[in-house]
Amino acid sequence: WGSSTRGFFAGGLEPGYRQNIDYVTISATGNAFDFGDLTNSNFQGAALSNEVRGLYGGGVATPGGRLTHIDLITNASLGNVQEFGNLSTKRFALTAFSSPTRGLFAGGDSQDPARVNIIEYVTIATRGDTTSFGDMLAVRRNRMAAASSTRGLIAGGCVGTGNGGINVIEYVTMASLGDSIDFGDLTNNRRRGSGLSNSVRGVFAGGYGGPGHVNIIDSVTISTLGDATDFGDLPQSNVYRLGTGSSDSHGGIG
């Protein structure tokens, strides 16, 4: 997640499940700095933010140990997280995005059923558990997300019980409730990539295309329905899966 000045990266795997939160100043090049710790050592949770707060929800803390917990940080300060609330189900490999007021969590792998299509939301300024927003077009995990201040986009991922990637992009209007609507298609089928955006454009980078990793970067205009177009390429394809992205609205990092 990110603010207009900082980008944040939390949790992960290798070696073992990770608890730390790192941050960078987006306008400056250089290594990341320690920010604090998540509540749990965590892999494949999902994060979102507005300018003031960042939220990190779900994930898996041990093999099979899925989480409902949502952590809260204040972007401008350093320190460990505080408790915000809970998701409706334990799950990991979900995705998240936000407007300045609402944060949405979508899809993922739960324990019952194994994969879900639910979309739920919180009001970022107010602590509490999630509320039902609607459903995605199908049950999916490992999706990429992008958002403007009004629309949230969910792209790619795994559908059904398999691990093959798909090319579907769907969207919701975040100020209202309801199921997602078809937006268009990515340039190829893929899952486990990175999503980031400014107020105009959504960008989806890397991932796993089925036969192998891809270094493709696609872009869409968030306010206009349609298929993604080629933006460029990442430097290499063999490491860009299970990525994450952050943007200050001028540039993106992952």
Side-chain angles (χ1 to χ4, degrees):
W1 69 95
S3 67
S4 60
T5 55
R6 285 178 169 178
F8 299 88
F9 305 92
L13 192 64
E14 305 292 350
Y17 292 85
R18 306 300 296 270
Q19 192 172 7
N20 56 295
I21 305 169
D22 289 347
Y23 79 96
V24 295
T25 301
I26 298 176
S27 63
T29 57
N31 296 333
F33 297 94
D34 181 63
F35 182 92
D37 290 327
L38 297 169
T39 299
N40 301 283
S41 298
N42 191 303
F43 177 54
Q44 288 200 66
L48 58 90
S49 63
N50 62 14
E51 182 63 21
V52 178
R53 285 180 159 183
L55 305 181
Y56 184 99
V60 57
T62 59
R66 295 163 176 83
L67 301 168
T68 63
H69 201 78
I70 303 174
D71 286 339
L72 162 69
I73 74 158
T74 301
N75 294 331
S77 62
L78 302 181
N80 296 334
V81 299
Q82 301 173 45
E83 181 177 358
F84 182 90
N86 289 284
L87 302 169
S88 63
T89 62
K90 296 180 179 180
R91 64 190 193 273
F92 77 111
L94 65 165
T95 193
F97 49 96
S98 60
S99 70
T101 55
R102 277 185 173 177
L104 281 72
F105 297 93
D109 256 352
S110 185
Q111 290 174 314
D112 184 20
R115 200 158 289 179
V116 298
N117 69 339
I118 58 177
I119 306 170
E120 49 198 1
Y121 77 97
V122 295
T123 301
I124 299 174
T126 306
R127 299 188 194 195
D129 298 339
T130 56
T131 301
S132 176
F133 183 94
D135 292 327
M136 297 191 299
L137 297 175
V139 291
R140 290 176 185 150
R141 60 170 280 183
N142 291 130
R143 308 208 64 192
M144 302 173 283
S148 66
S149 60
T150 56
R151 272 186 178 176
L153 274 59
I154 315 168
C158 307
V159 66
T161 58
N163 289 316
I166 60 172
N167 67 349
V168 174
I169 307 170
E170 51 199 284
Y171 80 97
V172 296
T173 301
M174 290 181 284
S176 61
L177 304 181
D179 298 340
S180 64
I181 300 169
D182 184 66
F183 182 93
D185 293 328
L186 298 168
T187 59
N188 76 324
N189 297 338
R190 67 186 193 271
R191 57 192 170 94
R192 295 183 169 186
S194 301
L196 55 139
S197 54
N198 60 18
S199 60
V200 177
R201 179 179 278 181
V203 176
F204 305 105
Y208 192 81
H213 304 87
V214 298
N215 64 345
I216 296 167
I217 307 174
D218 285 347
S219 73
V220 295
T221 300
I222 298 174
S223 63
T224 306
L225 304 186
D227 296 339
T229 57
D230 181 65
F231 183 92
D233 292 325
L234 297 166
Q236 53 185 322
S237 62
N238 64 343
V239 296
Y240 290 102
R241 57 178 282 189
L242 285 175
T244 186
S246 182
S247 173
D248 65 351
S249 80
H250 299 288
I253 53 178

